[in-house]
C-alpha cells in the first residue's frame, strides 16, 4: 500500500514523502495516531531568483504549492481510509474545520515542521522556517496522521546550522525575527513575532541555504 501511495504522490507532483513514528509524542500532539506522513513540494529556483534578486513580493507560487500540498494530503488520507485505516489530513481546511488551528496564537498541535524535524529533513532556522541542506527553505509541506502500519524512518534531530548568519533577521522588513537559535520545544515567540510577519517571504528566499539551492538548480 505504501509503495502505491508514494508512487501516486510522486506522479501527482510531490518532491518528497517522509514517514515518521509519532507514537512517542503527547496525546495532544499525535491525537492517538501513531504515524505521520509528510508530503513536500519544492519551490522553483526561478521563483526564488525573482523573489530575492528582483526584490519582488509575490506569494503566487508559494500559495499555489501550499494548496497543492494540502490537496495531496487530503487525497492521501482518502486513499488510506479506503484501505481500512484511519487517517487525518492536516490541510489548512481540515485543521480549521476540526478546530485544530488556534486563531489567536496561530498554532496547531502538531505542525508539519515538527514532523519534518523527526524525519531529519532539516532544522529550524532563526527565521523559524524549516531549512534543509538540499532546498534551503524553498518548500511547501502538508502532513497526514494515520494508524496505518507504515514502515517509519525517524532520524536524529538536526540542530540549527545557522551559525553567525543573521540574513533573515536583517532583511525582515517588520523586525519580526529575533535572531534566537532554536532548541527542541522552545517557545516559538522567542524566535519570531508571528503577529508582525507580513508573509513577504524575504527570509525564505534570501536564506543562504535557499540561495545555494537556487544557484545549483537555476540553469539546469
Ligand atoms: S515573511 Fe517577511 S515579514 Fe515575515 S518573518 Fe519573513 S521576512 Fe519577516
Ligand atoms: S538566513 Fe541565516 S540565520 Fe536565517 S535561517 Fe537562513 S541560515 Fe539561519
Amino acid at each position: 500500500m505504501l509503495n502505491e501511495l508514494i508512487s501516486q504522490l510522486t506522479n501527482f507532483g510531490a518532491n518528497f514523502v517522509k514517514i515518521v513514528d509519532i507514537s512517542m509524542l503527547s496525546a495532544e500532539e499525535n491525537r492517538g495516531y501513531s504515524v505521520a506522513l509528510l508530503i513536500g513540494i519544492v519551490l522553483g529556483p526561478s521563483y526564488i531568483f525573482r523573489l530575492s534578486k528582483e526584490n519582488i513580493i509575490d506569494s503566487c507560487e508559494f500559495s499555489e504549492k501550499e494548496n497543492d500540498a494540502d490537496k495531496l494530503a487530503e487525497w492521501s488520507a482518502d486513499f488510506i481510509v479506503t484501505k481500512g485505516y484511519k487517517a487525518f489530513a492536516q490541510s489548512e481546511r481540515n485543521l480549521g474545520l476540526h478546530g485544530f488551528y488556534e486563531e489567536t496564537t496561530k498554532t496547531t498541535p502538531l505542525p508539519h515542521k515538527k514532523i519534518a524535524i523527526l524525519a531529519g529533513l532539516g532544522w529550524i532556522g532563526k527565521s523559524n522556517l524549516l531549512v534543509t541542506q538540499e532546498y534551503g527553505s524553498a518548500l511547501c509541506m502538508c502532513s497526514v496522521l494515520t494508524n496505518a502500519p507504515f514502515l517509519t524512518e525517524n532520524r536524529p534531530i538536526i540542530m540549527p546550522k545557522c551559525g553567525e548568519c543573521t540574513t533573515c533577521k536583517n532583511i525582515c522588513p517588520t523586525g519580526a525575527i529575533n535572531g534566537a537559535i532554536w532548541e527542541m520545544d522552545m517557545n516559538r515567540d522567542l524566535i519570531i513575532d508571528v503577529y508582525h510577519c507580513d508573509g513577504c517571504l524575504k527570509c525564505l528566499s534570501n536564506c543562504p541555504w535557499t540561495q545555494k539551492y537556487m544557484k545549483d538548480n537555476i540553469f539546469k
Side-chain angles (χ1 to χ4, degrees):
M1 172 181 41
L2 184 57
N3 287 345
E4 186 187 350
L5 175 59
I6 292 176
S7 167
Q8 289 282 23
L9 286 172
T10 306
N11 288 341
F12 293 154
N15 295 107
F16 59 83
V17 180
K18 304 282 180 188
I19 320 281
V20 295
D21 178 6
I22 55 167
S23 60
M24 81 302 276
L25 300 179
S26 69
E28 187 196 349
E29 288 177 299
N30 68 26
R31 308 203 289 279
Y33 293 100
S34 55
V35 170
L37 185 88
L38 182 75
I39 302 161
I41 303 180
V42 175
L43 298 168
S46 307
Y47 176 58
I48 298 299
F49 182 88
R50 287 192 294 113
L51 288 180
S52 56
K53 304 302 176 203
E54 296 176 11
N55 200 25
I56 55 163
I57 294 184
D58 170 10
S59 61
C60 285
E61 182 173 327
F62 181 79
S63 303
E64 198 177 294
K65 289 188 170 171
E66 285 274 289
N67 194 34
D68 288 347
D70 276 12
K71 282 194 207 145
L72 291 185
E74 289 181 4
W75 179 87
S76 301
D78 289 345
F79 175 92
I80 294 167
V81 168
T82 63
K83 303 289 182 185
Y85 299 99
K86 287 186 191 166
F88 179 83
Q90 295 209 104
S91 59
E92 192 177 328
R93 185 178 69 121
N94 270 356
L95 289 170
L97 274 176
H98 294 270
F100 292 121
Y101 179 70
E102 177 54 60
E103 193 79 47
T104 48
T105 56
K106 297 181 185 284
T107 55
T108 60
L110 181 54
H112 314 312
K113 269 188 290 193
K114 181 149 186 180
I115 298 167
I117 293 294
L118 294 174
L121 190 63
W123 61 93
I124 304 299
K126 291 176 191 171
S127 57
N128 197 43
L129 295 170
L130 180 79
V131 186
T132 67
Q133 300 238 31
E134 195 172 359
Y135 311 114
S137 294
L139 35 87
C140 296
M141 297 183 291
C142 193
S143 55
V144 180
L145 311 184
T146 181
N147 67 346
F150 292 151
L151 189 65
T152 54
E153 278 195 283
N154 294 45
R155 295 271 186 249
I157 289 165
I158 304 175
M159 295 312 289
K161 295 181 188 286
C162 294
E164 299 301 310
C165 177
T166 53
T167 299
C168 53
K169 175 177 161 64
N170 297 343
I171 208 161
C172 176
T174 65
I177 296 171
N178 298 326
I181 296 175
W182 175 89
E183 289 171 25
M184 195 68 177
D185 297 324
M186 185 173 178
N187 184 336
R188 174 208 63 195
D189 296 344
L190 295 174
I191 300 177
I192 189 168
D193 177 357
V194 291
Y195 307 102
H196 287 98
C197 168
D198 66 8
C200 70
L201 302 177
K202 286 181 187 294
C203 52
L204 180 156
S205 61
N206 288 281
C207 173
W209 294 89
T210 310
Q211 288 286 301
K212 181 177 182 309
Y213 154 71
M214 178 198 80
K215 286 172 192 154
D216 289 350
N217 290 281
I218 195 156
F219 297 121
K220 277 187 180 172

